[in-house]
């Protein structure tokens, strides 16, 4: 007796999937590329290499890198604590990790600005030490950290939960220290998930807009991110310039994903062989 599947067959499923991907992903990206390609090579290069655009790339990329590095250590530590320890309030902390997903980014930006302004709860304390957060690149970094942290926690947490305790017990029986067990046994198994979380976190930071514009100050050449520059060009009805600048972010995203996939494949191959 032939078994009936709950889901439709491969042709229908593949057709629906390709239609969805084409409509939601490929079509907007194709429109962006076509609009940017309508510029001549000289005009395109003039727009994407202008001093204001280059400054926005620098602010965006450096802030995203800083936020991603911070999230690497803090996100891994948070996932480790949530997974390995039981304490009062654990479920609340676990639920709060997803708060940036549910909270509108504009609301997050307003809240962070209120906290880290010179007269805010945190900003007034940091001001006494000569540290200014709001309307500086540091504020941009904090906003990026807030919105992109869940990507690392949620990609690492399931892997930690599924790790076989026998591996750590075997390493302990062979005399391995806690640090040796973590670096030689646990970390190689976490590497593919960490790479995936880092790429998602970095990509989210590159494209973040709502949470940043309130705390950044948006000063050209200083605290203006690329997403805001694109928005400004759209408000000026300069759609070709907006598409050209956006295409730079698109190319950076594709390059980052390609490098991440290559690193993941090497990490998985190492894990399987090891």
């Amino acid at each position: 007796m032939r078994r009936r599947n709950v889901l439709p067959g491969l042709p229908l499923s593949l057709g629906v999937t390709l239609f969805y991907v084409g409509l939601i992903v490929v079509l907007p990206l194709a429109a962006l590329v076509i609009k940017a390609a309508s510029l001549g090579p000289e005009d395109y290069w003039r727009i994407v290499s202008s001093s204001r655009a280059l400054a926005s790339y620098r602010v965006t990329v450096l802030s995203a890198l800083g936020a991603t590095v911070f999230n690497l250590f803090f996100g891994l530590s948070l996932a480790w604590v949530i997974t390995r320890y039981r304490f009062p309030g654990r479920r609340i902390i676990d639920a709060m990790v997803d708060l940036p997903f549910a909270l509108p980014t504009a609301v997050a930006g307003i809240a962070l600005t209120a906290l880290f302004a010179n007269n805010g709860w945190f900003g007034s304390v940091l001001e006494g030490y000569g540290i200014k957060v709001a309307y500086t690149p540091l504020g941009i970094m904090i906003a990026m950290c807030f919105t992109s942290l869940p990507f690392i926690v949620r990609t690492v947490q399931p892997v930690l939960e599924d790790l076989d305790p026998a591996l750590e017990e075997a390493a302990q029986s062979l005399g391995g220290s806690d640090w040796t067990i973590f670096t030689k046994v646990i970390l190689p198994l976490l590497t593919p998930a960490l790479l995936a979380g880092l790429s998602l976190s970095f990509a989210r930071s590159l494209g973040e807009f709502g949470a940043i514009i309130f705390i950044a100050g948006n000063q050209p050449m200083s605290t203006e991110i690329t997403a805001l520059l694109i928005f400004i060009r759209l408000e000026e009805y300069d759609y070709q310039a907006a598409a050209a600048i956006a295409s730079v972010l698109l190319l950076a995203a594709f390059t980052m994903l390609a490098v991440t996939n290559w690193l993941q494949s090497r990490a998985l191959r190492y894990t399987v062989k090891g």
Side-chain angles (χ1 to χ4, degrees):
M1 185 175 178
R2 185 177 180 181
R3 185 176 61 182
R4 298 182 60 185
N5 293 321
V6 177
L7 297 177
L10 176 61
L12 180 58
S13 300
L14 183 60
V16 172
T17 302
L18 292 178
F19 174 77
Y20 175 82
V21 172
L23 183 65
I24 303 299
V25 179
V26 177
L27 188 60
L29 294 182
L32 172 65
V33 173
I34 292 173
K35 195 68 176 179
S38 63
L39 291 166
E42 294 182 0
D43 291 335
Y44 179 85
W45 180 251
R46 175 179 55 82
I47 292 171
V48 301
S49 63
S50 65
S51 57
R52 187 172 179 180
L54 292 176
S56 72
Y57 304 152
R58 175 181 55 80
V59 172
T60 303
V61 173
L62 291 180
S63 300
L65 285 175
T68 304
V69 172
F70 174 82
N71 284 342
L72 169 63
F73 294 98
F74 183 73
L76 178 59
S77 301
L78 183 57
W80 183 276
V81 170
I82 293 174
T83 304
R84 294 300 181 97
Y85 299 101
R86 298 295 181 268
F87 53 90
R90 171 181 168 273
R91 293 184 181 275
I92 297 177
I93 295 177
D94 192 16
M96 289 181 63
V97 171
D98 295 325
L99 185 62
F101 288 150
L103 191 68
T105 55
V107 176
I110 295 173
L112 290 174
T113 304
L115 288 174
F116 288 98
N118 294 339
N119 57 349
W121 289 355
F122 299 156
S124 59
V125 177
L126 295 174
E127 186 75 14
Y129 295 95
I131 302 175
K132 184 176 176 60
V133 177
Y135 317 124
T136 66
L138 181 58
I140 298 175
M141 208 177 304
I142 290 176
M144 289 180 175
C145 289
F146 177 81
T147 56
S148 61
L149 176 64
F151 290 99
I152 293 182
V153 177
R154 292 311 186 206
T155 53
V156 173
Q157 187 177 352
V159 181
L160 280 173
E161 292 174 348
D162 293 337
L163 284 181
D164 188 359
L167 297 176
E168 299 178 49
E169 293 172 359
Q172 287 179 342
S173 65
L174 294 174
S177 63
D178 292 340
W179 178 249
T180 301
I181 294 173
F182 177 77
T183 56
K184 301 297 184 180
V185 178
I186 299 176
L187 190 58
L189 297 175
L190 294 179
T191 299
L194 277 174
L195 290 174
L198 287 174
S199 63
L200 292 174
S201 176
F202 184 74
R204 174 64 186 272
S205 298
L206 285 181
E208 183 55 45
F209 179 73
I212 295 176
I213 58 174
F214 292 99
I215 197 173
N218 308 322
Q219 295 295 320
M221 315 296 294
S222 177
T223 58
E224 184 181 58
I225 60 174
T226 306
L228 177 62
L229 182 58
I230 296 171
F231 181 75
I232 292 173
R233 293 293 177 257
L234 290 174
E235 284 191 323
E236 296 171 348
Y237 300 102
D238 194 353
Y239 300 119
Q240 290 181 323
I245 298 172
S247 67
V248 175
L249 288 184
L250 180 62
L251 180 61
F254 274 122
T255 303
M256 179 193 62
L257 289 176
V259 173
T260 302
N261 288 333
W262 178 73
L263 291 175
Q264 278 186 303
S265 64
R266 287 183 60 86
L268 286 172
R269 184 172 56 186
Y270 169 79
T271 302
V272 172
K273 288 183 177 180

